Amino acid sequence: MDSAFPDKWRPAVKEGIEYWNAAFEEAGFKNAIEARDYPVDDPNFDSDDIRMNCVRYCVTPIANAMGPSYVDPRTGEILGADVIWYHNVVSLVHDWRFAQTGAVDSRVRTKTFADSVMYESLTYVTAHEIGHCLGLMHNMGASYAFTIDNLRDPVFIQKYGTTPSIMDYARNNFVAQPGDRERGVRLTPPPVGVYDIHAIKWGYRLIPGVKDIFDEKPVLDKWIREHDGDPMYEFGAQQVLGLIDPTDQTEDLGNDHIAAGDMAISNLKIIMENFIDWAGEKDENYDELADTYKAVVNQYARHIAHVIPYIGGIRYKEIRQGHDDGNARNYFSKKDQKRAMDWLLNQARTCEWLMPENLMSKFEEPYQWRNKVEKGIVGCFLSPTVLGRIKKGYLADPKSGYKVDDFMDDVVAAVFKASYNGKKLDDTELNLQSTLLEGMLKASGLAELKSNGTSKSLAEEPADFVEFMSQSLVPSIPCSFDSSCSAVQSEDSRSFFRLALGDSPLPANELKPLMVRELKKNQRLVPPLFCKCS
């Protein structure tokens, strides 16, 4: 451990490193990992030596940490690994804790956390990165194993934390409600989770009596099959360059994103009612407070982004020949998708609480986010790729699937609800309707929208949708090399994450008439500017 670490953080970092001893003990190794300080006056020590596994402290403004490893390409053996700990990760964990637990934990209602509170978060960051050093990839589907009730059950969550795997991006318990902490509800991830302990056993335990790796395989397969049907032991590969499987996302909790979103948003409303008192600092300007406000908005946007993938969503499942594992691709039903659609549009119409005028007037440049949320939601409904998956889902199961024509009918009816009811349109309704109309006109081919003098492709994804999803859920810097751009180039690397790219869109010869039909059906609601469909 780097001698440059501040003294007050050293115990937390060491504890996070040694958390993994619990997993290795289950694998048959007692006291397998020891956290030591950098040696003093030892000429044989060099932190750049591949034989030294170091946690390095980098004094930079980067808000991140990462755990790269170096592997023998012939055998897969990890030769050495390091954790790169950037100083400003403390601002990241501060924003997470405030936005996710501020409504239920009075300790985090401050600009600077007490050392005891920061200790809890720093152990988590360390343990996650050490997991990468040990060979574990992100398990983004782990948190889907828990129910909302699990996350509020003091006995359950004290034992298991917020997720079965610390290798998930399941930060803090934003599902917990005011009073839950006093009942004993845990707000932070586990030291190491059930899945992590199992993965270390699978990867490291010595198997007596075997002659080679081929003799090991039946035993390893048996260990996996022993937990068939238990969601705590499932692996959810990180999705890269898109989101298709809503059960396998970053920054989420629980197996019902709408219910979790409702509870988290209820907490965010409490935070906003007390925002200046809890996050402000007397006699300071509003610059840092504006950054904290962005963290709260970003947390809200994540909950929106967690629900969007249910539209045209697919749940992937690892299956093996010779076993009754079901299907590899499982489409979400019409009922699930309609529930998600209604929830998303309700959020677009009711999020004014996040923009109190008494706070917005204090900022020199208010954070302009609402328009992006509204356009991102509508863009999802018009995505040719999403529509293509909806069609495939219906063909796979016409009984419970969503017919594309019915989906678009419901979208138009939901977006134009105010107009159908003869109500005056506010800015939100105008933005939702105009975004939908422009998107349908572009997809129909009746209105040629150009960018830089070049006609855009009919199958192109709505830019607002792509931007919103990328900003809401995709980390700007990966915390390990398993999801880096270089890894995407390797076919062998894809077993560790899911490349959510290349799904076929709804063909243009189906997309264009679908949109023309919707425009003609609703022509009386279309302003003269758009009346090119008659």
Side-chain angles (χ1 to χ4, degrees):
M1 178 180 168
D2 200 329
S3 55
F5 270 99
D7 289 341
K8 65 180 180 179
W9 295 347
R10 302 181 71 79
V13 176
K14 286 186 176 181
E15 184 173 339
I17 295 170
E18 294 180 348
Y19 272 165
W20 287 94
N21 277 323
F24 276 98
E25 191 163 342
E26 288 287 323
F29 301 93
K30 195 172 182 65
N31 298 321
I33 295 180
E34 181 181 348
R36 300 176 179 175
D37 293 327
Y38 275 12
V40 178
D41 298 327
D42 182 353
N44 295 317
F45 173 77
D46 183 353
S47 61
D48 290 327
D49 190 327
I50 196 172
R51 295 171 296 177
M52 307 295 177
N53 305 303
C54 299
V55 181
R56 303 177 179 221
Y57 178 70
C58 300
V59 186
T60 74
I62 296 173
N64 199 34
M66 62 195 316
S69 56
Y70 313 96
V71 178
D72 187 332
R74 300 167 299 176
T75 65
E77 178 188 6
I78 300 174
L79 302 176
D82 294 298
V83 171
I84 312 299
W85 179 292
Y86 300 102
H87 168 82
N88 212 31
V89 73
V90 297
S91 69
L92 197 60
V93 298
H94 175 279
D95 290 345
W96 288 338
R97 284 297 293 270
F98 178 77
Q100 293 168 2
T101 68
V104 300
D105 188 354
S106 60
R107 301 176 301 162
V108 304
R109 298 167 186 170
T110 178
K111 180 181 176 182
T112 304
F113 290 169
D115 291 345
S116 59
V117 177
M118 187 60 73
Y119 189 103
E120 296 172 357
S121 294
L122 298 189
T123 55
Y124 156 70
V125 172
T126 306
H128 178 98
E129 302 307 336
I130 293 295
H132 285 311
C133 293
L134 297 171
L136 273 63
M137 299 293 99
H138 285 138
N139 182 2
M140 297 307 188
S143 58
Y144 197 79
F146 291 172
T147 67
I148 300 300
D149 289 341
N150 291 155
L151 294 167
R152 299 191 64 198
D153 181 340
V155 175
F156 181 93
I157 203 166
Q158 284 292 345
K159 181 177 181 180
Y160 295 111
T162 56
T163 173
S165 176
I166 199 172
M167 303 312 297
D168 194 356
Y169 279 178
R171 315 297 186 178
N172 305 289
N173 191 354
F174 52 69
V175 167
Q177 298 296 289
D180 281 356
R181 178 172 174 264
E182 289 73 16
R183 295 193 301 113
V185 173
R186 184 187 179 106
L187 302 179
T188 53
V192 290
V194 170
Y195 174 88
D196 306 320
I197 293 171
H198 183 61
I200 292 297
K201 171 189 172 182
W202 192 92
Y204 285 88
R205 189 175 185 87
L206 300 177
I207 302 175
V210 299
K211 297 179 181 179
D212 53 35
I213 59 174
F214 302 104
D215 286 346
E216 290 183 340
K217 189 175 186 301
V219 179
L220 297 175
D221 290 345
K222 177 176 177 289
W223 288 350
I224 292 175
R225 285 292 169 183
E226 286 174 349
H227 296 286
D228 268 356
D230 189 336
M232 286 198 191
Y233 293 86
E234 290 188 14
F235 175 75
Q238 181 174 1
Q239 299 179 79
V240 177
L241 301 180
L243 284 171
I244 296 175
D245 187 346
T247 74
D248 195 9
Q249 301 190 69
T250 69
E251 316 290 349
D252 62 336
L253 289 179
N255 65 356
D256 187 337
H257 291 99
I258 289 178
D262 285 339
M263 301 182 88
I265 290 167
S266 176
N267 286 338
L268 290 175
K269 289 178 180 178
I270 295 173
I271 290 175
M272 289 308 302
E273 289 171 0
N274 301 276
F275 185 74
I276 294 179
D277 291 338
W278 290 357
E281 189 171 17
K282 190 176 181 180
D283 295 328
E284 293 292 327
N285 64 31
Y286 280 83
D287 292 347
E288 290 191 20
L289 194 65
D291 290 338
T292 306
Y293 173 71
K294 289 181 182 180
V296 174
V297 171
N298 290 343
Q299 184 63 35
Y300 175 76
R302 290 186 193 108
H303 298 305
I304 300 295
H306 289 151
V307 176
I308 282 178
Y310 283 91
I311 309 297
I314 301 172
R315 182 172 187 181
Y316 290 99
K317 182 177 175 61
E318 295 296 332
I319 60 174
R320 292 292 181 269
Q321 297 180 48
H323 298 276
D324 186 16
D325 289 338
N327 297 323
R329 295 164 64 92
N330 302 276
Y331 293 89
F332 281 85
S333 69
K334 174 181 178 178
K335 181 180 178 181
D336 292 327
Q337 296 182 67
K338 184 65 166 60
R339 180 184 178 220
M341 179 199 304
D342 292 341
W343 187 87
L344 289 166
L345 288 172
N346 180 63
Q347 290 302 320
R349 290 171 166 135
T350 61
C351 57
E352 65 281 345
W353 56 268
L354 198 45
M355 300 175 292
E357 183 56 36
N358 66 326
L359 179 64
M360 298 297 100
S361 62
K362 304 293 185 184
F363 299 145
E364 291 186 11
E365 296 183 8
Y367 188 31
Q368 302 297 329
W369 57 269
R370 188 169 185 178
N371 182 62
K372 293 180 180 179
V373 170
E374 294 164 358
K375 288 181 177 291
I377 289 172
V378 174
C380 164
F381 302 150
L382 294 172
S383 162
T385 305
V386 170
L387 292 171
R389 290 200 299 270
I390 292 174
K391 176 188 175 183
K392 292 174 186 175
Y394 177 76
L395 294 175
D397 184 2
K399 184 176 180 180
S400 64
Y402 216 160
K403 195 174 182 179
V404 175
D405 290 8
D406 294 341
F407 171 77
M408 282 308 305
D409 284 345
D410 289 345
V411 167
V412 174
V415 172
F416 281 92
K417 182 179 178 180
S419 292
Y420 287 146
N421 293 332
K423 294 183 178 180
K424 183 178 180 180
L425 304 185
D426 59 18
D427 289 344
T428 295
E429 298 296 342
L430 286 169
N431 193 33
L432 292 173
Q433 292 189 15
S434 63
T435 301
L436 183 65
L437 282 172
E438 289 173 4
M440 288 195 300
L441 279 164
K442 174 192 169 186
S444 72
L446 296 172
E448 186 180 75
L449 302 182
K450 296 184 177 182
S451 176
N452 299 323
T454 304
S455 298
K456 294 184 178 181
S457 167
L458 285 170
E460 185 176 272
E461 294 298 305
D464 297 303
F465 168 54
V466 174
E467 179 186 5
F468 174 73
M469 293 300 290
S470 64
Q471 290 182 352
S472 298
L473 290 180
V474 179
S476 58
I477 307 173
C479 76
S480 72
F481 289 149
D482 64 308
S483 61
S484 66
C485 292
S486 59
V488 173
Q489 305 304 318
S490 169
E491 286 288 340
D492 294 337
S493 299
R494 294 184 186 180
S495 59
F496 297 112
F497 61 84
R498 191 173 305 284
L499 190 59
L501 191 67
D503 233 359
S504 56
L506 190 69
N509 64 342
E510 296 179 39
L511 181 64
K512 292 174 69 174
L514 173 65
M515 296 303 171
V516 170
R517 181 179 69 86
E518 291 297 334
L519 288 167
K520 285 191 173 184
K521 281 175 60 178
N522 297 279
Q523 190 169 347
R524 66 184 179 85
L525 299 174
V526 180
L529 175 63
F530 297 113
C531 282
K532 299 180 181 180
C533 55
S534 55

